[in-house]
Amino acid sequence: MADLFSLPSFPLHFWVPQIYSHLRSYTMPNEQRYIIRILFIVPIYAFDSWLSLLFISNDQYYVYFDSIRDCYEAFVIYNFLSLSFEYLGGESAIMAEIRGKPIQSSCMYGTCCLVGMSYSIGFLRFCKQATLQFCVVKPIMAVITILLQAFGKYHDGDFNVTGGYLYITIIYNFSVSLALYALFLFFFATSDLLRPYEPILKFLTIKSVIFLSFWQGMVLAILEKCGVIPNVSVIDGHEVGAGTVAAGWQNFITCIEMFFASIALRYAFTVNVYQKKQDDAPHNVAPMHSISSGLKETINPGDMVQDAIHNFSPAYQQYTQQSTQEVAPPSQNGKPGPSSAKTPKKADKIMLITSDDEF
């Protein structure tokens, strides 16, 4: 039991210093907000899996914990695509580079059916919509799973057509595949532009965490169905079903994997470039209130809501977003006001540019 309590601490040894370093060197908020959200996958996965193991003797608790973890993976896919957009300067900058270029046929990237078409704003819109739909579908599936569990209609590994596991798995698999397909399409279109940012390591790290989690669960469910995992086990004096045992193995493996994921994320999303920008700035030590404000900005999902409105609203389908930053003007006497005495205040502005092309 002592080992169980210390299990989630292994990945945190790598995660805590890295997330703190990004907050302390919060010099590029438009990029680092997405990076920090991605890095949160380690503690959320590790802590959630640990709680599931801690309460494994209860047949239902792990479903609630795992639902929270699964919802966050959808959020991570969206933030990774948004980070890639920021690396390249946003929608308008990307369109300036790829608009009108023919889409090359590639079976590996799934562009065989797009032969004869060219890149347009509709292409970028599809990439965003495909990732955002997963952010909507996954929480809905999580709520349905909890409801089915409460009525005894959901059991891990039960592929019976009268249960909910089969249908939840099919919908989830289609939704996550569509989101990852959108990522493939985007990287296929912008691979040359993204090369300086080492996207392959970042993409493989995130994909490995999400896909391993899903396929491990599928393999364990199949092993349960084949009778490899016993139907009933006794844990802490309580009898638990084979589905719970399989979920326990899944959560135990996830805790171990998060240790390696934290190492990979440390190298994939290094803080060095942001620390260098901070060292070049006149005020290179971030006070604690700046760190806390950076964390608040990171956990605020307002940008995702605005992005969803822009990408799904019919009124914006033929517009591209262009981000600009405006420095707050000085007061009438030519001196900065009290709020901007230390550093100039910048406000993010979004400008919409009309686009006539179609996808």
Side-chain angles (χ1 to χ4, degrees), residues 11 87 96 128 149 173 215 243 297 300 337 345:
Y87 279 153
K128 273 294 183 71
Q149 174 81 11
N173 194 24
W215 288 111
E297 180 186 359
N300 184 0
K345 214 172 187 179

Side-chain angles (χ1 to χ4, degrees), residues 107-335:
C107 294
M108 184 178 71
Y109 284 92
T111 58
C112 300
C113 57
L114 303 179
V115 176
M117 304 183 71
S118 59
Y119 292 113
S120 67
I121 184 58
F123 172 82
L124 292 186
R125 194 75 67 240
F126 169 77
C127 292
K128 273 294 183 71
Q129 289 173 345
T131 55
L132 283 166
Q133 61 81 25
F134 190 40
C135 295
V136 176
V137 170
K138 191 55 191 176
I140 294 175
M141 291 298 100
V143 172
I144 294 176
T145 298
I146 292 173
L147 292 176
L148 291 175
Q149 174 81 11
F151 288 97
K153 296 295 184 179
Y154 181 90
H155 301 283
D156 271 329
D158 182 9
F159 291 96
N160 195 306
V161 294
T162 60
Y165 179 80
L166 174 63
Y167 306 105
I168 294 292
T169 301
I170 292 173
I171 295 173
Y172 169 79
N173 194 24
F174 175 79
S175 182
V176 69
S177 297
L178 182 61
L180 290 173
Y181 174 62
L183 285 181
F184 271 114
L185 286 180
F186 181 77
F187 283 117
F188 182 69
T190 60
S191 57
D192 293 335
L193 302 175
L194 284 170
R195 187 169 290 116
Y197 303 97
E198 300 180 349
I200 301 299
L201 177 60
K202 295 179 174 65
F203 179 69
L204 289 180
T205 301
I206 293 174
K207 182 183 176 183
S208 297
V209 171
I210 293 174
F211 256 40
L212 279 176
S213 176
F214 174 72
W215 288 111
Q216 279 171 187
M218 288 294 295
V219 170
L220 288 168
I222 294 172
L223 291 177
E224 175 197 343
K225 196 69 175 177
C226 295
V228 177
I229 298 176
N231 290 328
V232 177
S233 297
V234 178
I235 301 176
D236 293 337
H238 299 273
E239 289 188 353
V240 296
T244 303
V245 175
W249 277 109
Q250 162 82 333
N251 287 305
F252 176 78
I253 296 171
T254 298
C255 283
I256 302 300
E257 288 172 345
M258 286 304 102
F259 170 73
F260 298 101
S262 62
I263 298 175
L265 288 170
R266 184 182 183 89
Y267 290 99
F269 298 95
T270 177
V271 74
N272 295 342
V273 62
Y274 306 107
Q275 288 177 335
K276 187 177 184 303
K277 288 182 177 293
Q278 185 184 40
D279 293 338
D280 295 339
H283 302 284
N284 55 9
V285 179
M288 288 306 296
H289 72 84
S290 296
I291 294 175
S292 62
S293 63
L295 184 60
K296 289 178 182 178
E297 180 186 359
T298 298
I299 63 178
N300 184 0
D303 59 297
M304 186 180 73
V305 175
Q306 292 299 322
D307 205 16
I309 293 173
H310 175 76
N311 282 281
F312 284 104
S313 174
Y316 299 117
Q317 293 306 298
Q318 295 303 319
Y319 288 86
T320 58
Q321 290 180 326
Q322 178 173 328
S323 299
T324 60
Q325 283 191 330
E326 295 182 358
V327 180
S331 59
Q332 293 182 353
N333 59 7
K335 296 180 180 180

